[in-house]
Amino acid sequence: MIVYKTEAEIAAMAASGRIVGLILDELGDLVRPGVRTIDIDAHAERRTRELGAKPAFKDYRGYPASVCVSVNEEVIHGIPSDRALHEGDLVSLDFGVLYEGFYGDAARSFPVGRVTPLAERLIAIAEASFRSGIEAMIEGGRVSDISHAVQGRVEAEGFSVIRSFVGHGIGHALHEEPQVPNFGLPGRGPRLRRGLVLAVEPMIAAGDWDVEVLDDGWTAVTRDRSLAAHFEETVALTAAGPVILTRPDAPVPAPRAKEQAHA
Ligand code: MF3
Ligand code: CO
């Protein structure tokens, strides 16, 4: 069942999303050679609590940390440790919170110091493919229109989209229906309606799309060990089109007159 959100609920989700966006920006500022991945996690957890929120991932299905920190060939779900980042690494940070009953979820990839042109391009295309995806998030369309747009943008660069992990609906639960794959034919799946809130999250690889999970039970790596990148935002489909909620300055969509009358 898809849970469509009212404009008031989307405004509440923007409050959660702003916390995610703010903290993720701070985490990005910590990324440099020498920083340990647990230092990034510690900052995220401390700031989350300071802002009155709860880390969304900690203890989710037994996940042990507040942030997923995935380095180079690690695609997602890397577990923070005393591993230090090195010049030339590509690091993906995936972070979410629960605030006043609503989840926000976002991810970004960052270069550690100077990186190869390939790493720079992979990071840029992860974000660009997300943009292409939400440009297809139009009322009356279908969920797979997003999937198809993401895939097209990624494959046009000669990169591949990871197929065994998907984006998702989000709200009172971290993972709601529908699933949002990053590949597929357009015109399939649930209709895109006002009030739909999705975590759209392309995960892409410089090589093949096949992944395997390491012995820690979490870390997903590309099977060919090629470089991977991840970009995710929580996005609401409103009367004004798609609105990104996981930014420090996420707008509060104005309630419609009808809802105001009931307020
Ligand atoms: N952003 C990730 C997702 O949408 C959250 C990871 S969940 C956890 O699936 F298991 F790592 F906590
Ligand atoms: Co997600």
Side-chain angles (χ1 to χ4, degrees), residues 57 60 63 68 77 94 105 168 174-175 201 218 230 232:
F57 302 167
Y60 179 86
Y63 186 74
C68 301
H77 300 168
D94 188 349
D105 185 7
H168 48 94
L174 177 60
H175 295 132
E201 51 177 318
W218 281 103
H230 186 194
E232 174 180 25

Side-chain angles (χ1 to χ4, degrees), residues 5 23 34 56 63 70 73 107 113 142 206:
K5 280 77 179 175
I23 295 176
Y63 186 74
S70 307
E73 75 281 3
R142 302 250 183 197

Side-chain angles (χ1 to χ4, degrees), residues 25-263:
D25 280 356
E26 293 177 3
L27 302 183
D29 290 341
L30 293 177
V31 169
R32 62 190 144 70
V35 77
R36 295 173 311 165
T37 61
I38 42 164
D39 299 329
I40 295 172
D41 187 66
H43 182 90
E45 177 155 5
R46 180 172 60 76
R47 291 289 288 140
T48 302
R49 307 225 185 255
E50 273 174 18
L51 296 173
K54 269 184 57 177
F57 302 167
K58 194 153 197 173
D59 301 323
Y60 179 86
R61 299 185 179 205
Y63 186 74
S66 298
V67 189
C68 301
V69 184
S70 307
V71 184
N72 297 333
E73 75 281 3
E74 298 173 356
V75 183
I76 52 168
H77 300 168
I79 299 173
S81 70
D82 58 10
R83 173 183 188 168
L85 297 177
H86 291 111
E87 178 100 20
D89 284 342
L90 182 172
V91 65
S92 301
L93 305 180
D94 188 349
F95 175 63
V97 305
L98 173 63
Y99 180 71
E100 295 190 346
F102 282 110
Y103 284 92
D105 185 7
R108 325 247 188 273
S109 293
F110 299 93
V112 182
R114 276 179 60 91
V115 299
T116 62
L118 175 69
E120 275 178 11
R121 202 158 62 85
L122 197 69
I123 292 169
I125 296 305
E127 177 164 3
S129 68
F130 163 83
R131 302 250 159 242
S132 300
I134 66 166
E135 276 167 24
M137 192 171 169
I138 297 168
E139 259 187 275
R142 302 250 183 197
V143 167
S144 82
D145 298 350
I146 300 169
S147 315
H148 184 73
V150 169
Q151 181 180 21
R153 185 72 185 87
V154 172
E155 292 182 354
E157 295 293 323
F159 297 146
S160 60
V161 296
I162 304 303
R163 303 190 175 211
S164 47
F165 296 98
V166 296
H168 48 94
I170 180 169
H172 288 309
L174 177 60
H175 295 132
E176 297 184 356
E177 288 180 31
Q179 295 196 348
V180 186
N182 292 304
F183 67 99
L185 297 172
R188 311 287 166 95
R191 222 172 259 291
L192 298 171
R193 283 179 37 199
R194 213 177 284 185
L196 187 65
V197 183
L198 300 177
V200 177
E201 51 177 318
M203 291 149 271
I204 74 173
D208 195 70
W209 51 263
D210 204 13
V211 297
E212 64 181 302
V213 175
L214 298 183
D215 287 340
D216 63 17
W218 281 103
T219 313
V221 300
T222 53
R223 202 175 281 279
D224 64 7
R225 301 301 192 264
S226 68
L227 216 50
H230 186 194
F231 192 92
E232 174 180 25
E233 306 273 20
T234 297
V235 186
L237 185 50
T238 75
V243 174
I244 298 176
L245 303 180
T246 29
R247 295 275 163 160
D249 57 352
V252 179
R256 276 175 285 164
K258 200 168 154 213
E259 284 187 5
Q260 256 167 352
H262 284 274

